[in-house]
Amino acid sequence: MTETLDIKITKTKHSRLNETDFNNLQFGRTFSDHMFVADYEDGEWKNFNIVPYGEIGFSPAISALHYGQAFFEGLKAYKHADGQVSVFRPDKNARRFNKSAERLCMPELPEEIFVQSIAAVVDMDRDWIPSKPNHSLYIRPFMFATDPYLGVQPSATYKYIVLIGPVGPYFSKTLRVKVETNFTRAAEGGFGYAKAAGNYGGGMLPAKKAAEEGFDQLIWTDAKDHAYIEEMGSANVMFFLDGKLITPSTRDTILDGVTRDTVLTLAREWGVPVEERRVSIAEIIEGAKNGKLTDAFGAGTAATIAQVGSISYNGEEYFLSDPKEREFSQKVLKALDGIRYGNLPDTHGWNYMV
Ligand SMILES: *Cc1c(COP(=O)(O)O)cnc(C)c1O
């Protein structure tokens, strides 16, 4: 897998694998033994290393910390019943990685380096991939600016790192969500479509306030009128309304999700009517009232398919059907899992075998 990328490997002297409690995995808290690290200097990517996971040193003046030149990706590796390991659609994440890089004035990373660095570190720590149902290996590639310089300008040096760690199910319950009509996640002309670190920092206060009111997630609305639905927390949002799968069309305020694309592709193949367009809050609330809204869920790598139990808007809470009875989201979740865990044929070539 790594024949073209010359990676220097330094193995850990003490594996933490046997000390790790795979029955109590909290998302994002457990890291495998190794990580991949590369540097951007003098206009090129160099120093491809796999090293033991651990702290790294840098100047407190690095521009990532001051001006936010930092972004990430998120994808997963799955262990199949026969022991094979696959990463789901890494080419899509590679392309999005470079869209984020471009918007933040950061260097692109050749797609082969992105995919091969992931394959190399996943292969190295393949024993860390859980084989339990609904478990997987979360992969977090990210890039940040490392010039120790306080001038507001694009850094000349960067680091690219890939962290990996075992994860279980992200949401175990049906979500109580609130339509946010005060705060904004992203505005036109901004960088909502990038997986930029700053987008998530800005989302924390609204999410915290919603959590204090008892909500699990926010539905973000457009910055101008707060009349159209954009995303749900850090996932794309989809509805089954009046017999059609509808989801906000991607634009510069919306992250173009791999899960979103996968769900839409499957739906179209099944002959389900699909509409990618502006989705108004009004039509969703109307559908919740008259029973034509038969499914509502978030779609994302971390959350997979996250069922919405109720939607609150202007202080009114609208309850949706029991997730167990939702035909579309149950079918799509089954298909997604089937392909990713190797139990259904991968007719699209979505699984990158490691
Ligand atoms: C990562 C992310 C998604 C989901 O994208 P996937 O590629 O499906 O994981 C959706 N919205 C936001 C804001 C995200 O950060």
Side-chain angles (χ1 to χ4, degrees):
M1 290 292 152
T2 57
E3 55 271 9
T4 54
L5 200 60
D6 188 14
I7 303 174
K8 188 173 160 236
I9 293 174
T10 310
K11 278 195 182 175
T12 180
K13 292 198 179 69
H14 174 74
S15 172
R16 287 174 284 102
L17 187 58
N18 292 329
E19 303 155 12
T20 302
D21 182 2
F22 278 76
N23 293 315
N24 286 299
L25 295 170
Q26 275 178 289
F27 180 86
R29 289 204 189 272
T30 307
F31 300 99
S32 73
D33 282 330
H34 299 92
M35 61 185 183
F36 179 94
V37 184
D39 299 304
Y40 185 85
E41 292 164 6
D42 307 320
E44 60 177 344
W45 287 102
K46 52 178 80 160
N47 308 332
F48 304 120
N49 278 288
I50 287 179
V51 294
Y53 165 82
E55 291 181 9
I56 54 171
F58 43 70
S59 156
I62 63 168
S63 47
L65 295 176
H66 300 270
Y67 308 122
Q69 265 195 311
F71 69 93
F72 62 96
E73 266 305 325
L75 61 168
K76 281 177 174 173
Y78 301 85
K79 186 164 273 174
H80 300 196
D82 64 2
Q84 288 199 84
V85 169
S86 63
V87 179
F88 194 69
R89 306 189 75 182
D91 53 310
K92 290 281 281 181
N93 299 85
R95 284 199 287 281
R96 192 170 66 195
F97 198 72
N98 285 333
K99 275 195 202 164
S100 297
E102 184 198 25
R103 182 60 180 85
L104 295 170
C105 250
M106 294 166 72
E108 292 198 355
L109 181 76
E111 284 180 28
E112 318 83 73
I113 298 183
F114 183 90
V115 173
Q116 288 182 27
S117 61
I118 288 169
V121 73
V122 168
D123 186 30
M124 179 110 183
D125 284 348
R126 60 198 297 136
D127 293 344
W128 282 83
I129 309 174
S131 30
K132 281 202 293 187
N134 297 319
H135 285 58
S136 57
L137 186 81
Y138 185 73
I139 304 166
R140 168 54 62 87
F142 60 108
M143 193 198 296
F144 60 97
T146 53
D147 275 7
Y149 173 54
L150 296 183
V152 184
Q153 68 170 50
S155 180
T157 63
Y158 297 87
K159 261 192 198 304
Y160 164 67
I161 300 180
V162 182
L163 300 177
I164 58 178
V167 292
Y170 194 71
F171 294 118
S172 40
K173 57 173 187 144
T174 305
L175 305 174
R176 200 175 162 220
V177 306
K178 175 193 163 185
V179 178
E180 177 62 60
T181 50
N182 180 27
F183 293 107
T184 297
R185 189 190 88 89
E188 272 171 45
F191 52 93
Y193 68 89
K195 245 173 149 69
N199 284 332
Y200 304 84
M204 285 180 191
L205 179 66
K208 180 173 167 241
K209 287 184 181 285
E212 283 164 2
E213 296 169 43
F215 297 107
D216 303 305
Q217 284 288 317
L218 289 180
I219 286 185
W220 297 106
T221 54
D222 72 287
K224 233 187 241 161
D225 305 316
H226 294 298
Y228 295 93
I229 286 171
E230 302 231 300
E231 298 205 54
M232 191 178 95
S234 298
N236 293 111
V237 66
M238 298 195 171
F239 304 94
F240 216 83
L241 182 67
D242 209 5
K244 286 178 283 205
L245 180 65
I246 64 171
T247 191
S249 41
T250 51
R251 60 175 71 80
D252 54 5
T253 55
I254 293 180
L255 195 109
D256 186 0
V258 177
T259 316
R260 177 185 183 282
D261 179 78
T262 305
V263 171
L264 296 180
T265 301
L266 291 172
R268 288 188 172 112
E269 285 175 10
W270 295 336
V272 171
V274 173
E275 288 181 2
E276 293 179 72
R277 57 169 173 81
R278 300 216 88 181
V279 178
S280 71
I281 304 168
E283 65 182 310
I284 295 305
I285 296 304
E286 182 60 28
K289 279 190 197 157
N290 67 17
K292 288 189 175 168
L293 182 67
T294 52
D295 219 322
F297 57 92
T301 296
T304 313
I305 300 294
Q307 302 283 4
V308 172
S310 73
I311 302 176
S312 291
Y313 177 56
N314 282 344
E316 196 81 46
E317 185 166 13
Y318 302 90
F319 292 89
L320 308 182
S321 64
D322 182 349
K324 287 194 273 311
E325 283 152 24
R326 300 180 188 177
E327 205 183 321
F328 180 78
S329 52
Q330 294 295 349
K331 180 176 172 179
V332 87
L333 181 57
K334 240 172 131 182
L336 269 176
D337 280 346
I339 297 166
R340 297 200 269 220
Y341 289 98
N343 299 320
L344 284 176
D346 174 25
T347 55
H348 308 83
W350 284 337
N351 291 335
Y352 181 91
M353 305 309 294
V354 173

